[in-house]
Amino acid sequence: MVGQEQGSGARALQRLAPDLISAGAPGAGVSAGLATKLSIRSIGKSYGPVLALADASLDLAEGEFLTLLGPSGSGKSTLLMIVAGLIQPTAGEVWIGGKLSTYEPPNKRDIGMVFQNYALFPHLTIQENIAFPLKMRRMPAAQAAEEVRRVLDIVQLPHVAGRLPKELSGGQQQRIALARCMVYRPSIILMDEPLGALDRKLRDRMQLEIKQLHKRLGITVLYVTHDQEEALAMSDRICLMKAGRIEQIGSPEELYFRPRTEFAADFLGESNIIAGRVVASGADGVVEGAGGLRVRAQVDPALAPGRTVKAVIRPESLRILQPGETAENVAEGVLAESLFIGGVCRHYVSIADDLVLSLKQLTDGGAAVPPPGTRIRVGWRGDHTLVLGVA
Amino acid sequence: MTSAIETRRGRAGPPLSSAGWVRAWPLYPLLLLIVAFFLYPVLQILWLSLINRAGELSAENYLRATTTPVYLRTLGITLQISAWTTAFSLLAGYPVAYLLATARPRTRDVLTILVLMPFWTSFLVRTFSWMILLGRNGAVNKLLLSLGITDAPLSLIFNFTGTMIGMVHAMMPLAVMAMLSVMQRLDQTLVSAARTLGARGGSAFWQIFFRMSVPGVASAGLLVFISALGFFITPALLGGRQETMISQVIISIIQEVLNWRFASALAVMLLVATALVFLLYDRLLGLSSLDGAGSGSGTARPPGPLGRLGAAVGGRLIATLGWLSDRGGEIWERLVPVRPDRRQRSAARGVLLVSGALIIAFLCLPSFFVIPVSFTAGNCIEFPPQGFSLRWYALYFGAPDWIAATVRSFVVALLTGAAATVLGTAAAFVLVRQRITGRGIVLGLILAPLVLPRIIIAVGLFYLYARIGLVGTVLGLVIGHTILAVPYVVITVMAVLKTYDERLDQAAWSLGASKWRTLVHITLPQIRGGILAGFLFAFITSFDELTISLFVTGGSTSTLPRRMWNDLLLQVNPTLAAVSTIVLLFVTVFIIAAEVLRRRAVSQ
């Protein structure tokens, strides 16, 4: 399992390698060597009888951007805090840069952290804020000032050095928090929902900026968010968490197209989930769902006929079929509702009593959409159906 | 700009027109009372201090006060004792406030009640408890002797030590609460951030947490210092001749020689000292830091030279403290090495918990010593008590003068509570809901009796009452106590009203209720917890009040505190312990009820 994860990490790094080399950043050219910057081994945390985190293991490769994604209470922030040393785990080990750090105090760890509310010291100027970690490391003042100038240039805010944090906008504070973290070149930068307090437009821009900084400087990032779009857009790999456990780790594409559980399928993107039973397994498998709907799909041979399963289809994989048109999978039903939401339209098609399929298609100016109440047929490809075993 | 504020607050009508002043009518009864029985008497004192026997303007009173060594010395002692009280209260209060700020909310609530214990027990009772504990044959000395720590009893009372213990005990809760209010607003993640950025525990605490809590420490210091300036009960009962404070001198001049002009001059000097402290505070830190709004520096006004000096010295001091505790931490780590593979508890947290527990015990336990002592079968006060009897209770209930004083105090407190609640609530409505010009001045005037040394108000009222025949009357007491108690009602009700959702009232109007019926059926039922809490605070303020009672009552018109004061000064006896026990239980139950009500009302 660990090997598999490292494999995908390596792919992520290979994708990154050209950027790293062109930026001349430290660690460039290690794509083959693959240094593990962070290793979390069976970490657990319980508060009395309450289990906040159970048996979490993951590895973070140098230069990798890994996101802990999950709903609130999933343990993602707890895991991040344990890596930071701000919460002590009750089980397991944390290795940072090849050094056992499970119970090391935060200041002895080679990490930097960006907090949700940025945690800029309100009584210090931007200059003093960024110089703080350097001062703690006893760097001579002149050299520290030079370093501060360097990172302020990187985040493109060289003119704010003398200001107080409250005199900056949210986006600027965010960049300063990042600069304060980068200035002492920690092995890993931890980010706890760093964009949570920003409005949507600014958030989109900051996502891009952080992503570009990550590529340009080759920094290693452990990122926490509950926003699936953010996770998909930014990460090399995503670690999906639920109720204190790691649900699935993989690249964004893997998680989106090959979720291993119903939770994963539902949490990332939208899904139509059809409960059913396996009729035939294998490459030309068939699943029978509610109302006798037969769905052709590739079914894992381990799922023998008769097993209860869930068939997962993304709304954007569904198509409204024109009369006479056909597809690998076809379902017939009544168009219950059509919603126009800008760039896309969403249609709800009632197939059976307890089965409504949601269908998403790009808004197409002229195309005639039948009025609600019309009987229509929808179709989709067999390889767009994912069949998950139900435990 | 005015319109912008109005739009924000959703108010109708021009606020600054004459109509605004008409609508503010509920404020006027209280304002009138304060002008007549607070502002006027205090101004009168100022005037009296400036005239001679013939009624001409003269500086003779001040000349006498500043040229007679004994008065100058008293002023010096007053400042000195206040300064020491402030220093000890801050020093011992800070760890407690920090403990409260970082505790879980549940724990914090319980600890807050314990810390406020001295605040909530009668002033006289708790001073009396210290007399029992610290005396030559007191509990502390008995314990030390029996443990063999000392051979002879230590003198812990009627000297500087006794005064300090009593005053710090009285003032520390105030210091803790003032510091806590700032600390609670501090963002704890800033300390975490400092740690992840490489700061050791010591540096992170001093350079981040402590640095940002400085406004709280400063405002706590200010509050304690100016409150301590006016003290007379503690130094009179626990101190010796060397600890005579200026309020005591003022009292004796009035009571013994009735020299109004000279007493006024001394009172004005006390007032000036208070004002100077405020001024110095403002210069150093800015008064705006008092409300704790700014959790750091960065006031609108650039700091003056004094302020810059303060900042520079303070910054260096904090850096040094951080450096010292980091080195201390390193030494500790050499003794008990940090291991990355094992959990460890922080040694600093352990020290904090132990010292916090000791200080909280110091705050909440002593008052209860009056209870066992009151059941003694012996003839004098001693701890542990001899045998068990109810004779002192029988004596209390059988003594007409004690009972009369108790009833009198009760009646006055009830009337004061009612008056303060009605006037204060009406004023709070105007202050929260209407925009009136001079709001700051009005609020300042209403709250001033909290800050001004009570002795000044008492002397002024006595002088006024003497001329209009209110001395020794219930009415005179009620008016005086209302002036002192009304700030508590105003503060409590304003706090509740600020959290009150005015859309409920708007909904009631839109549903057809008149303003009056909205008030009666919608607003008042929802804020009644806050109003009741205000009433209880006012009741207790009056019930425990001694300063005004000291002047305007006496003999057959004594209140209970006045009666106790006499016995405490002249002949301490177990009856006092019985009375104290009754007052202690009564007051504590009342105050805790008020506090619970207030919290419920505000948190709704």
Side-chain angles (χ1 to χ4, degrees), chain B residues 119-254:
Chain B
F119 231 48
W120 291 350
T121 48
S122 157
F123 212 109
L124 285 167
V125 170
R126 85 178 100 103
T127 312
F128 178 50
S129 302
W130 282 116
M131 293 170 82
I132 297 173
L133 278 169
L134 300 176
R136 264 190 93 71
N137 297 311
V140 171
N141 266 324
K142 286 233 172 99
L143 183 72
L144 291 177
L145 284 171
S146 67
L147 290 177
I149 295 173
T150 53
D151 300 329
L154 301 173
S155 25
L156 299 169
I157 198 173
F158 308 131
N159 56 20
F160 184 75
T161 313
T163 312
M164 245 339 96
I165 292 176
M167 292 194 63
V168 171
H169 183 245
M171 289 285 98
M172 212 199 305
L174 191 65
V176 171
M177 286 302 131
M179 291 190 278
L180 182 62
S181 75
V182 170
M183 286 184 194
Q184 269 184 295
R185 272 196 291 260
L186 293 188
D187 184 358
Q188 296 279 354
T189 58
L190 292 174
V191 178
S192 299
R195 298 280 281 140
T196 65
L197 291 169
R200 295 182 57 98
S203 285
F205 170 76
W206 288 104
Q207 299 208 7
I208 305 301
F209 190 92
F210 182 78
R211 171 60 189 79
M212 290 193 303
S213 71
V214 164
V217 176
S219 66
L222 178 73
L223 282 176
V224 170
F225 191 84
I226 58 176
S227 307
L229 282 178
F231 264 47
F232 68 91
I233 298 176
T234 315
L237 297 178
L238 298 175
R241 289 186 60 81
Q242 297 298 312
E243 287 76 44
T244 307
M245 291 177 70
I246 196 152
S247 296
Q248 291 166 267
V249 176
I250 296 173
I251 291 169
S252 65
I253 289 175
I254 298 261

Side-chain angles (χ1 to χ4, degrees), chain A residues 138-184:
Chain A
R138 311 231 170 89
M139 183 182 280
Q143 196 188 339
E146 189 51 48
E147 290 290 311
V148 172
R149 257 197 299 283
R150 180 181 65 86
V151 290
L152 278 177
D153 279 340
I154 292 178
V155 296
Q156 294 160 27
L157 287 170
H159 53 287
V160 302
R163 297 197 204 156
L164 288 171
K166 66 176 176 198
E167 293 166 333
L168 301 188
S169 70
Q172 288 175 324
Q173 291 186 25
Q174 168 64 56
R175 278 189 239 162
I176 296 303
L178 201 57
R180 187 175 67 176
C181 241
M182 294 188 310
V183 72
Y184 57 99

Side-chain angles (χ1 to χ4, degrees), chain A residues 40 43 53 56 58 68 75-83 241:
Chain A
I40 295 167
I43 280 290
L53 199 58
L58 71 93
L68 303 176
K76 56 189 192 304
S77 284
T78 307
L79 185 53
L80 193 80
M81 290 291 178
I82 287 173
V83 175
M241 301 188 67

Side-chain angles (χ1 to χ4, degrees), chain B residues 103-125:
Chain B
R104 267 167 289 198
R106 256 282 167 73
T107 323
R108 183 186 309 148
D109 283 351
V110 175
L111 289 180
T112 306
I113 290 178
L114 294 180
V115 167
L116 287 179
M117 209 67 183
F119 231 48
W120 291 350
T121 48
S122 157
F123 212 109
L124 285 167
V125 170

